[in-house]
Amino acid sequence: MKKIALHWQIIIGILAGLLFGFICVQIPGGKTLVVDWIKPFGTIFINLLKLIAVPLIIVSLIKGVSDLKDISQLSKLGFKTIGLYLLTTVLAVSTGLIAVNVIEPGLLISEETRSEMTQTFGDDISLKVEEVHLANQERGPLQPLIDIVPENIFESASANSNMLQVIFFCLILGVAMVMLPFEKIKAFKGVLDAGNEIVLKIVDLIMLSAPFGVFALLAALVVEAPSADIFKALGAYGLTVVIGLVVMTFGVYGVFIRFFGKTKLREFYKAISPAQLLGFSTSSSAATLPVTLECVEDNLNVRKEVSSFVIPIGATVNMDGTSLYQGVAAVFIAQVMGNDLSLAQQLTVILTAILASIGTAAVPGAGILMLVIVLESIGVSPAGIALIFAVDRPLDMLRTITNITGDCMVALVVDRTTSE
Ligand code: ASP
């Protein structure tokens, strides 16, 4: 029997999960059934993907870097990657700001909706704001740099939130290997190669459960979703984010893919569709990482030494969808509060949204937390986040697609514009 392509398997899982969720909402006891007996399988699926993320980064990044001919190649790759990540993030926030200033969704929000949202989600938000404040207490300007250098690699590897520290260690290890004569590292390279094969096999095994995992995630999402009325009230805001994401994902990236990546758009989007769909279902670039790597290497033929470097770093620091959304959300909240932002304030939004998106963890709902920093930088009360809280999950799913697409685009462009 012909095997159904992975992206179709995931699409079927998504649609079946949505349908099952809608049916369960209608029947008595349906919600409990999904939450108690279906949702845990979605959580297990995400856990499995995250479980393999750190081992995968370790073997593939060390292998990728140690396969380079010399160190100067690494610095070329590094500059290009970071440069492109910064450039696309600036373009993303700017796209979001243009969309929200043209559409002005904040002016369409009635006083009634505003107080309803503030009352319903106000307490949740103040707790989250407090969390961000505590985490940022006494942090100097160079703290993010210090955070990249671990003092104990085993401690770093024990938490997915320390991905950058693991990447840092693997880079040093790979560089040391390039500098040593081949004879001396031959045995270790053999272990790495074998480790790489094993980890990739495990990813394949996990992906066998993808349609079921996605089904469970989507069914749970539907039964736990807030009422449709809230979506209607915030429709214009949601639409503004979606328009920005579409322009970024297909328009801006399209230019890079076509002209610098020298690849047909259809070919590119088809190649990465499994990663995009999985990002949509899990709302997490980190959980999707194993599949993103496979898509760019196997379907786009990006060299391993490029992908193993560009993709893990991108999954951690490059979040164009998140920064775009933060730009739209910040101006939207200001509009609802009757706060007309000056040009200087909007430029501040660009700067802080870039920093906030870099600091955003690649997990569901992280972007809305970092929005606190953006709002405070322009003097808007973070309590305003209560206004957009209800519709955050669907927008999170969509912005995660853009985050992942951006990483894949940069991997393609870096690969095609650097020689072997
Ligand atoms: N869920 C997003 C990601 O993992 C981050 C965010 O915007 O919340 O890419």
Side-chain angles (χ1 to χ4, degrees):
M1 200 176 80
K2 203 170 161 255
K3 203 171 166 288
I4 306 175
L6 183 58
H7 63 277
W8 282 116
Q9 291 184 29
I10 302 177
I11 290 176
I12 293 169
I14 291 175
L15 295 178
L18 288 175
L19 188 70
F20 188 75
F22 282 121
I23 294 172
C24 285
V25 173
Q26 315 299 329
I27 50 176
K31 182 176 172 183
T32 324
L33 172 85
V34 173
V35 172
D36 288 350
W37 297 98
I38 309 276
K39 188 180 173 189
F41 291 101
T43 312
I44 292 174
F45 176 58
I46 294 198
N47 284 356
L48 283 171
L49 286 168
K50 286 189 182 161
L51 171 73
I52 203 64
V54 170
L56 179 65
I57 292 181
I58 294 177
V59 284
S60 75
L61 189 55
I62 302 176
K63 182 173 152 43
V65 174
S66 64
D67 280 344
L68 290 172
K69 305 268 166 336
D70 56 63
I71 309 293
S72 69
Q73 259 185 308
L74 185 65
S75 56
K76 252 187 247 155
L77 278 185
F79 278 119
K80 216 176 251 182
T81 306
I82 304 296
L84 276 169
Y85 279 158
L86 272 180
L87 174 68
T88 50
T89 308
V90 173
L91 291 174
V93 198
S94 312
T95 307
L97 287 184
I98 294 172
V100 71
N101 279 298
V102 171
I103 302 173
E104 299 193 312
L107 307 187
L108 303 171
I109 295 290
S110 65
E111 185 51 46
E112 197 190 337
T113 311
R114 183 179 146 175
S115 58
E116 191 188 321
M117 300 290 170
T118 319
Q119 270 166 21
T120 320
F121 301 107
D123 290 345
D124 277 356
I125 297 305
S126 52
L127 281 177
K128 289 194 187 297
V129 171
E130 193 53 40
E131 228 175 83
V132 175
H133 278 160
L134 281 177
N136 282 314
Q137 244 168 22
E138 292 164 22
R139 281 173 68 87
L142 288 186
Q143 192 59 41
L145 210 59
I146 300 177
D147 288 344
I148 295 178
V149 186
E151 59 178 65
N152 184 326
I153 186 57
F154 296 103
E155 209 176 283
S156 314
S158 66
N160 282 353
S161 53
N162 294 333
M163 213 78 107
L164 272 186
Q165 300 187 341
V166 175
I167 292 173
F168 178 80
F169 179 75
C170 296
L171 282 177
I172 299 189
L173 216 137
V175 168
M177 286 171 71
V178 176
M179 294 167 88
L180 284 164
F182 181 70
E183 272 312 307
K184 292 204 167 155
I185 56 158
K186 204 166 119 194
F188 186 59
K189 259 195 125 142
V191 174
L192 270 184
D193 288 344
N196 197 40
E197 293 299 325
I198 295 169
V199 171
L200 289 180
K201 193 79 225 152
I202 297 178
V203 174
D204 287 346
L205 288 177
I206 296 172
M207 286 314 287
L208 289 178
S209 65
F212 307 102
V214 166
F215 169 87
L217 287 170
L218 269 290
L221 201 81
V222 173
V223 298
E224 289 180 329
S227 84
D229 294 347
I230 290 185
F231 287 110
K232 266 186 230 146
L234 291 170
Y237 156 72
L239 200 66
T240 310
V241 176
V242 173
I243 290 174
L245 292 176
V246 169
V247 170
M248 195 63 204
T249 312
F250 297 99
V252 178
Y253 292 159
V255 174
F256 283 92
I257 295 161
R258 193 78 196 91
F259 295 104
F260 302 103
K262 304 193 180 68
T263 303
K264 290 203 187 87
L265 300 192
R266 232 183 122 227
E267 218 172 273
F268 176 85
Y269 291 110
K270 187 164 175 236
I272 64 159
S273 57
Q276 289 180 317
L277 289 164
L278 206 62
F280 174 79
S281 316
T282 60
S283 278
S284 168
S285 321
T288 313
L289 184 87
V291 178
T292 316
L293 264 177
E294 266 199 352
C295 286
V296 292
E297 285 167 11
D298 298 348
N299 306 348
L300 288 173
N301 298 321
V302 169
R303 281 165 293 152
K304 215 174 169 52
E305 52 266 40
V306 174
S307 62
S308 64
F309 175 78
V310 177
I311 297 293
I313 294 184
T316 338
V317 302
N318 182 47
M319 304 217 178
D320 297 341
T322 301
S323 61
L324 185 149
Y325 144 87
Q326 284 168 339
V328 174
V331 177
F332 169 76
I333 292 170
Q335 283 170 353
V336 179
M337 307 254 189
N339 212 328
D340 210 3
L341 296 183
S342 65
L343 186 65
Q345 278 174 310
Q346 304 237 7
L347 290 176
T348 312
V349 171
I350 297 191
L351 197 73
T352 43
I354 293 173
L355 296 176
S357 71
I358 292 175
T360 301
V363 293
I368 198 166
L369 278 184
M370 298 306 273
L371 187 59
V372 174
I373 297 172
V374 183
L375 288 174
E376 287 187 337
S377 73
I378 49 170
V380 174
S381 163
I385 294 179
L387 288 167
I388 55 165
F389 195 60
V391 290
D392 192 57
R393 187 58 198 244
L395 295 179
D396 190 2
M397 297 162 81
L398 295 171
R399 65 186 186 246
T400 306
I401 297 183
T402 305
N403 290 345
I404 291 168
T405 310
D407 300 342
C408 295
M409 181 280 283
V410 172
L412 175 83
V413 171
V414 171
D415 181 75
R416 301 299 195 265
T417 54
T418 40
S419 52
E420 294 213 11

